[in-house]
Every structure is written in C-alpha cells, then in structure tokens.
Amino acid sequence: MSTFKGVDFFDVSSLLTEEERLIRDTVREWVQENVLPIIEHHFRSGTFPMELVPQMAGMGLLGANLEGYGCAGLGAVAYGLIMQELERGDSGLRSFVSVQGALCMYPIHSFGTDEQKQRWLPAMARGEKIGCFGLTEPDAGSNPAGMKTRAVRKTDRWVINGAKAWITNGSIADVAILWARTEEGIRGFLVEKGTRGFSTKDHVGKFSLRASVTSELVLQDCEIPEENILPATSGLKSALSCLTQARYGIAWGAIGSAMAVYDEALNYAKTRIVFGKPIAGFQLQQAKLVWMLGEITKGQLLNLQLGRLKEKGAVTPHQVSLGKKNGCCVARECAKLGREMLGANGIMDEYQVGRHLCNIESVYTYEGTDDIHTLILGEAITGIPAFTG
Ligand code: TGC
Ligand code: FAD
C-alpha cells in the first residue's frame, strides 16, 4: 500500500498553523500504519476495531476539542483535520470518534452537573468508557420531534419506556445519552449499561459502515436515578445542538473519504494499461480525476472557513448543514467515479474505493439526510419551512 501524501492542490496547508499541520500529519501516519492494514478484515467480519481505541485515546483524539477533564482542548480546524484523516481510513472509525466526542462527551460537558462531568469525561477521553447517542427511533428519524420514548418522574427516579434504532456504538457503550419525552418537554438522560430494563440488539446485514457497531436500544420500565438527567437540557434544541457538533466533523470526514478515493483512483490510473497505455492517458479518465480534484479542493476550502468561523464562535447551524451536505455529496460522487475507474478491481475489498462507496451511503443518510439539509438551507434562505409540503 503506497504512502498517502495528501491531496492539496491549492496549498491549503499554508493556511494552517504549524500545530494543525503536525496534528494532521500525525493522524495521517497513524491511519496509514495502524488502520489500513486491518480495516479490510474488520469490514469483512462486521466488527469495530476496538484495539484502536486506546491508541486514539493516547493521541488525544476523543473529545479533542473540549476543554478540561483530560480533553485536548484543540481548535475547530485541528479537530476537523483529525476527522478528515480518520475518515480517510474508514468512516466507521470517524463515526466512533464523532459519537464519543461530539454526541456523548459534548452533551455531558454542556448540559451535565459537575459530578457527571467528573465521573464520565476523563474516563471517556481515556477511552475507558464508551458512549452512544440515542435520538432516532424506528418511526422517528428525520423528524425526531415525533419520538415516542417517554420518561416519567417517580419520586427519586425516572422510569423510561421506548425504543431507539440505528444507534452507533449501542451495544458496546457503557452509557447512552438518551433523549426522551417528559412532562417538561424532551430531555437528555444518562442510561448506564446493565441497568434493569435496558437492552440492546445489533442491526445485522449492513452493507455499509460494517466496521462500526449499530444497534437498537430497548427500554422497558427502565428505572434510572433522578440524578441521571442532564439538568441543563431543555427541549429538542439541546439534542439538535449536539448534532451541529457532529455534522461539523462529518463535513471534514467526508472530504477525507473523497481524498482516499481520489488518491487510489489516480495511482491505479497511472499503472493500469489498457489499449496499450495507462488509462490515466485517456481524456475520459482525466475528466473524472479533474472533477474529483476540483470538488475536493473546494470542499477543503469550505471546511477551513467553516472551522475558522467556529473558532470565532460565529458559525451557524445552517453553515454547518451546508458543510455536511457538500462533503457527503462530493464523497458520494467521488466514490462512484473512483470505483468505476478501477473497473472489476473496483468491486474488490482489496482496494478502498468499494468500502468508501458503501460507507458513504450511511454518512449521507445519518446526521440529517441530504434532503433534510436541503430543507434546512431552503428555510434559512427563504424564511419559508418546506418540511411538510
Ligand atoms: P425546529 O423548530 O427547527 O428547532 C427547534 C429549536 O432547535 C433549534 N435548532 C438547532 N439548534 C442547534 N443546532 C441545530 N442544528 C438546530 N436545529 C434547530 C431551533 O433554532 C429551535 O430553537 P428555539 O429557540 O426556536 O426553540 O425543530 P424541528 O423539530 O422542526 O426540527 C427541524 C429538523 C427537521 C431540521 C430537525 O429535526 C433535524 O435536524 N432532523 C434531522 C435528524 C437528525 O439529523 N438526526 C441525527 C441523529 S444522530 C446520528 O445520526 C448520529 S450518526 C453517527 C455519527 O455522527 O457519526
Ligand atoms: P426517514 O426519516 O424515514 O426518511 C426516509 C426518506 O425520506 C429519506 O430519503 C429522507 O431524506 C426523506 N424525507 C424525510 N423527511 C422529508 C421531508 N420533509 N421532505 C422530503 N423528504 C423527506 N441515529 C441516532 O440517534 N444515533 C446514532 O448514533 C445513529 N447512528 C446511525 C448509524 C447508521 C449506520 C445509520 C444508517 C443511521 C444512524 N442513525 C443514528 C440514524 C440516522 O440519523 C437516521 O437514519 C436519519 O436521521 C434518517 O432517518 P430515517 O432513516 O428514519 O429516514
């Protein structure tokens, strides 16, 4: 497997700080040496590479942009570069880190008590405790406001009934950040593994994100102590604010997937001889490579500006939606083009393009489908919501 040198046609590196470049290069090298040699095996067997968790924790990748509690406290661009490089390896790995940091550590950090933060955040940053985020339900995906899961207060405890579906890390998590309807609106709760009335079941038969655990969560008269509510959560808005953090990382990650595909397609095209010359010498193949490079370059610049806005505290959820939507569309199209450029080899898992092609279908769908982000942006620019017609 050839060493990955990056894709940087517009010298975006020169717009990064020395620290940001160092972080990117460290994760890039780690992915090359530790992820790529084992990922095909995990994708085939449908397992998440747990053996990589201590190494990622050791590099400070879990909750990397959070302050205190053993977290690295990195800026938004450095965090985005980590996501880009991880997803260059595999979307499942980036998903794990997104869920752990943006969807579990972030809500504890933002909405939790000091005791909850002390108990969970340092252990999660060390990778000793794993989290999952339960928002989606079998009948409420794009519209989480339609959730049925309910938590009822009974003197000193909460009793929760309901079910969540498609939950990344579900069965390997020590704690679920669980969103449920209450008398005061939707609130977030900490539901620990092993709690009576709480069970998980993995979704099997996935052709996408195979190196990632996806589960159902079932709550049947599940009783949790009163103090397991995240006290500062109020309404669906709290859950949606976590999505903004995760979507930001996906914008970068998806471009990482596109970079992997472009790099593999370019290398393949230079060495694959057809009709007596490398396919890289055919105009049709060059057009595909040029399209990919152009979209990747635009995506990198868009993400960088998104990150700089986030660092200033000036980014809006709508801008993040555009980043998520753009990254996923670019990666999805690049994966399709890359796969076709590899001909028959493109369907083999010995190469990366097929795995990225399958993975991106999940990434395009979760954290708000492309349709939902289109509607979010449509409402932002016209002032007219079109979610219901
Ligand atoms: P709506 O009335 O629009 O908003 C309610 C309140 O929330 C505010 N808000 C946000 N705040 C922060 N970030 C966001 N992204 C926000 N979106 C909305 C909004 O301003 C409002 O505030 P206020 O003060 O006025 O009350 O709510 P709605 O129920 O109409 O929902 C709108 C819609 C459809 C956009 C939303 O439901 C949505 O985004 N749906 C998509 C669902 C989704 O993305 N689910 C993801 C589940 S988690 C996952 O997929 C993890 S994958 C693993 C990985 O990340 O790797
Ligand atoms: P639906 O909402 O049923 O949508 C079906 C189709 O209708 C889509 O094409 C959609 O774009 C379209 N549609 C919906 N509404 C409209 C509209 N108003 N106008 C036009 N078209 C519309 N969720 C979590 O909570 N936590 C997780 O960790 C998590 N991890 C996931 C991991 C994987 C691998 C996958 C695949 C999903 C995961 N999800 C998770 C769930 C994910 O967020 C949802 O699948 C996603 O939000 C879409 O919901 P849905 O699948 O129910 O699709």
Side-chain angles (χ1 to χ4, degrees):
M1 196 172 293
S2 62
T3 305
F4 180 70
K5 296 190 191 70
V7 180
D8 191 5
F9 197 62
F10 266 31
D11 195 16
V12 178
S13 282
S14 66
L15 302 173
L16 304 175
T17 65
E18 201 173 316
E19 188 197 24
E20 287 163 348
R21 281 194 293 270
L22 181 67
I23 290 166
R24 178 198 63 192
D25 294 345
T26 304
V27 180
R28 181 172 289 173
E29 207 176 303
W30 177 79
V31 165
Q32 190 74 27
E33 285 171 11
N34 299 280
V35 179
L36 296 184
I38 63 166
I39 199 65
E40 173 192 328
H41 160 75
H42 282 286
F43 193 86
R44 270 191 198 185
S45 51
T47 48
F48 175 73
M50 285 299 286
E51 63 271 33
L52 299 178
V53 174
Q55 296 175 41
M56 292 195 286
M59 288 189 291
L61 306 189
L62 306 180
N65 56 344
L66 299 176
E67 295 281 349
Y69 304 97
C71 302
L74 298 179
V77 170
Y79 173 83
L81 289 163
I82 291 171
M83 299 296 142
Q84 175 187 286
E85 296 305 319
L86 289 177
E87 197 146 358
R88 204 267 298 181
D90 190 77
S91 302
L93 202 61
R94 200 270 310 135
S95 288
F96 177 90
V97 175
S98 282
V99 169
Q100 179 84 347
L103 293 181
C104 296
M105 295 171 74
Y106 171 82
I108 295 172
H109 198 276
S110 301
F111 307 121
T113 60
D114 200 46
E115 202 185 6
Q116 290 168 342
K117 293 180 202 180
Q118 295 292 358
R119 170 151 184 229
W120 291 106
L121 294 178
M124 291 177 93
R126 289 194 301 269
E128 292 163 8
K129 295 285 180 193
I130 292 170
C132 70
F133 180 86
L135 179 66
T136 303
E137 299 190 352
D139 296 321
S142 297
N143 181 25
M147 73 172 65
K148 294 194 186 110
T149 300
R150 188 158 206 99
V152 177
R153 198 196 288 267
K154 295 264 169 76
T155 53
D156 61 346
R157 60 198 195 282
W158 290 91
V159 182
I160 312 181
N161 278 287
K164 299 288 172 181
W166 306 109
I167 307 305
T168 302
N169 297 348
S171 63
I172 57 168
D174 298 285
V175 63
I177 307 293
L178 193 105
W179 299 91
R181 199 173 282 296
T182 72
E183 276 187 354
E184 316 132 27
I186 292 170
R187 308 287 304 271
F189 297 88
L190 296 164
V191 180
E192 291 183 47
K193 189 177 200 151
T195 305
R196 200 146 52 90
F198 176 48
S199 59
T200 64
K201 190 171 168 231
D202 288 347
H203 292 283
V204 291
K206 291 183 296 173
F207 68 78
S208 173
L209 275 194
R210 288 187 53 75
S212 172
V213 173
T214 319
S215 322
E216 286 174 60
L217 311 181
V218 179
L219 301 111
Q220 281 176 321
D221 292 328
C222 173
E223 294 194 8
I224 59 167
E226 193 179 17
E227 62 266 22
N228 278 24
I229 192 166
L230 289 169
T233 52
S234 63
L236 188 62
K237 184 178 182 159
S238 304
L240 295 177
S241 73
C242 305
L243 302 187
T244 297
Q245 305 306 312
R247 290 167 178 173
Y248 170 77
I250 293 171
W252 286 85
I255 295 297
S257 163
M259 286 161 65
V261 164
Y262 168 79
D263 184 65
E264 185 166 71
L266 176 60
N267 289 333
Y268 187 87
K270 285 190 206 162
T271 53
R272 174 69 182 166
I273 310 293
V274 182
F275 290 107
K277 69 176 189 181
I279 60 168
F282 295 118
Q283 292 178 8
L284 286 174
Q285 304 309 319
Q286 289 188 1
K288 291 171 196 169
L289 290 166
V290 170
W291 188 90
M292 288 191 227
L293 181 63
E295 292 303 319
I296 289 168
T297 304
K298 287 185 272 179
Q300 289 170 335
L301 290 166
L302 185 152
N303 286 343
L304 182 61
Q305 174 62 0
L306 198 63
R308 293 295 179 225
L309 286 172
K310 197 166 191 296
E311 284 169 352
K312 285 195 288 188
V315 79
T316 67
H318 310 117
Q319 290 166 332
V320 173
S321 276
L322 189 60
K324 195 273 180 185
K325 176 179 163 62
N326 179 68
C328 292
C329 287
V330 168
R332 197 183 193 208
E333 196 58 26
C334 285
K336 199 182 88 185
L337 291 175
R339 202 228 55 78
E340 77 184 37
M341 286 184 68
L342 266 69
N345 279 322
I347 69 152
M348 297 303 291
D349 62 8
E350 178 189 339
Y351 292 88
Q352 299 176 53
V353 286
R355 182 164 46 77
H356 282 285
L357 180 78
C358 292
N359 282 343
I360 202 66
E361 290 305 310
S362 288
V363 183
Y364 184 80
T365 297
Y366 68 35
E367 284 290 352
T369 63
D370 183 72
D371 293 332
I372 289 298
H373 289 293
T374 301
L375 293 169
I376 289 172
L377 288 159
E379 180 179 2
I381 58 179
T382 65
I384 307 168
F387 291 97
T388 52

